[in-house]
Amino acid sequence: MPVSVPARRRQDREILALALPAFGALVAEPLFLMADSAMVGHLGTPQLAGLGVAAALLGTVVNVFVFLAYATTAAVSRSIGAGDPATAIRRGMDGIWLALLLGAVLVAVAVPAAPALVDLFGASPTAAPHATTYLRVSALGIPPMLMVLAATGVLRGLQDTRTPLYVALAGFTGNIALNALFLYGLDLGVAGSAWGTVLAQFGMAAAYLRVVVRGARTHGADLRPSRAGILGNARAGVPLLVRTLSLRAVLLLTTAVAARLGDADIAAHQIALTIWTLLAFALDAIAIAGQAIIGRHLGAGHAAGARSACARMVRWGIVSGLALGLLTAAASPVLLHVFTGDAEVRDHLLPVLLVVAVCQPVAGIVFVLDGVLMGAGDGPYLAGAMLLTLALFTPAVLLVRPLGGGVTALWWVFGGLMMAIRMITLTVRTRTGRWVVTGAARA
């Protein structure tokens, strides 16, 4: 049945109301981390190199455990759709308790293993001590960092993306202020930067907990840890963890191949990947809206509403992808000079940026459908689809260098082939309708 114009407008307003604040929260972190790196950079090159190694390790933790946000969003939004906010918050607390437990385990591993982990990443002898110091201190912030991921999922499930934006802005602004105090005021060096980040992470976790606890008191939700609930969250998160690890493997393989093509190629690849990541934030914001909206519709038993919202968000993904692609293509001559002064790197980068631009409409579809299926709690399918993508992508990417391809060919395999495979697998699933499972919990 065609959706009326007023209904489409209501859908658009709802998508924008969730997506725009989500985009702001997504962009806030890398922008403030750039400022953090700039401050540490004034201490010296070894300190900045050490920060880079430690930040890469901590960033891996965030990327691997991002399922804490995804799984919690799906569970909470279903309960909200079913008209049961107490259960929604109870499920959200289960996710937060799981994050706390995982964080404690990671701290116990990371602190003593910091020197070995830094050595594994190949830090230079001058950078390694700074990386170890930063990692040992920052590891103390892993529990609140994971709690922030889970709590963000709770609020998204409650259809609130504004609060995460405000907390992100306050947290990362506080991080910069603390870092400036510890670095320049107290002269604590790299350790001061790490302590500033840890304190900011605890502050963000406390802010989220205050919001969740207030909601729990309002609706009479139990805040105590539930073994069954925590295990349920863990089971829901395993497929999403497999999906995330498979995606990380794709990125690592691509970078590994680029590193073997030559210095100019790897430089062009890293710049292109930075731009791709920034563009992904805009598309991921629509996916986050999809997670919240789809889960709510399914929880309320509105199968038709879920399908209609999915179709509308796909259109948003395509239009956003086209707009971002055109913007990237038009801005590419400027971007060349912004990111590098090396003429050889610019020669390699220009065609890669055009590949990035061409692939954005496909990426728009992929991100949206990924969010839709996450909101539906269809984690096992997402895991299988990403494993299939990795299996098909691996031989193709490994053939780039033997066949004489350069960084442009590599990006056609990554941005073109890999994203096309993902689009096909996700589109097939959404068209079968098997993801449409209604009820307060996915059976």
Side-chain angles (χ1 to χ4, degrees):
M1 181 182 295
V3 180
S4 65
V5 173
R8 286 201 300 270
R9 288 175 178 169
R10 284 195 300 272
Q11 288 177 333
D12 291 343
R13 284 196 297 269
E14 184 177 32
I15 293 167
L16 279 174
L18 291 169
L20 289 178
F23 174 70
L26 290 168
V27 171
E29 181 173 359
L31 291 179
F32 283 109
L33 287 177
M34 286 171 60
D36 190 10
S37 298
M39 285 190 286
V40 172
H42 287 291
L43 298 176
T45 300
Q47 288 88 339
L48 182 59
L51 171 66
V53 172
L57 285 162
L58 293 167
T60 299
V61 172
V62 174
N63 284 307
V64 167
F65 290 97
V66 74
F67 73 84
L68 289 165
Y70 296 156
T72 306
T73 299
V76 171
S77 60
R78 273 186 179 267
S79 292
I80 288 297
D84 190 354
T87 299
I89 294 173
R90 170 69 267 171
R91 289 179 169 177
M93 279 305 304
D94 290 335
I96 292 172
W97 281 113
L98 175 62
L100 185 59
L101 291 173
L102 289 172
V105 172
L106 288 170
V107 170
V109 172
V111 172
L117 291 171
V118 168
D119 184 61
L120 185 65
F121 262 61
S124 68
T126 54
H130 301 292
T132 301
T133 298
Y134 191 94
L135 183 58
R136 277 183 167 154
V137 175
S138 294
L140 301 177
I142 291 176
M145 182 169 61
L146 298 188
M147 290 171 69
V148 165
L149 285 175
T152 301
V154 175
L155 294 179
R156 289 172 182 172
L158 294 173
Q159 317 295 296
D160 177 8
T161 56
R162 289 182 180 272
T163 299
L165 171 61
Y166 300 148
V167 174
L169 291 174
F172 293 120
T173 301
N175 185 22
I176 289 177
L178 289 168
N179 285 357
L181 172 64
F182 293 155
L183 281 170
Y184 304 134
L186 301 179
D187 196 25
L188 295 179
V190 167
S193 176
W195 278 116
T197 300
V198 168
L199 291 175
Q201 287 165 342
F202 271 100
M204 291 171 68
Y208 276 119
L209 284 176
R210 182 180 178 184
V211 174
V212 174
V213 169
R214 186 170 64 234
R217 289 174 177 170
T218 299
H219 298 289
D222 189 359
L223 294 173
R224 292 173 297 180
S226 162
R227 183 173 181 272
I230 292 171
L231 288 175
N233 266 267
R235 283 193 296 271
V238 168
L240 295 178
L241 176 61
V242 172
R243 167 210 169 268
T244 301
L245 289 174
S246 300
L247 183 56
R248 295 297 297 175
V250 165
L251 293 169
L252 288 172
L253 274 172
T254 306
T255 300
V257 171
R260 287 162 175 77
L261 294 176
D263 290 346
D265 293 273
I266 186 61
H269 168 74
Q270 287 301 122
I271 294 169
L273 193 59
T274 300
I275 295 168
W276 176 276
T277 302
L278 181 61
L279 297 173
F281 286 141
L283 300 176
D284 203 28
I286 304 173
I288 288 170
Q291 293 173 34
I293 293 170
I294 294 298
R296 192 193 71 230
H297 277 301
L298 294 177
H302 297 158
R307 291 190 183 94
S308 175
C310 173
R312 193 64 184 166
M313 281 183 286
V314 168
R315 292 188 183 93
W316 269 87
I318 294 171
V319 171
S320 299
L322 284 169
L324 291 172
L326 290 172
L327 180 62
T328 302
S332 56
V334 177
L335 293 172
L336 294 178
H337 293 277
V338 168
F339 281 95
T340 180
D342 189 312
E344 184 181 4
V345 174
R346 287 201 296 264
D347 288 342
H348 285 76
L349 181 59
L350 180 58
V352 174
L353 289 180
L354 296 180
V355 174
V356 170
V358 169
C359 294
Q360 288 310 298
V362 174
I365 297 171
V366 169
F367 275 75
V368 167
L369 293 182
D370 210 34
V372 165
L373 296 183
M374 284 182 190
D378 204 11
Y381 181 83
L382 288 170
M386 199 62 229
L387 284 171
L388 174 63
T389 302
L390 176 61
L392 296 175
F393 168 80
T394 299
V397 77
L398 293 179
L399 283 172
V400 169
R401 188 164 174 257
L403 294 179
V407 68
T408 304
L410 177 65
W411 268 81
W412 275 119
V413 173
F414 172 73
L417 176 64
M418 188 272 291
M419 294 301 284
I421 295 170
R422 292 190 70 193
M423 182 181 70
I424 292 168
T425 57
L426 298 176
T427 301
V428 167
R429 183 62 168 183
T430 53
R431 288 187 175 178
T432 64
R434 293 177 183 173
W435 59 279
V436 184
V437 179
T438 58
R442 187 181 176 96

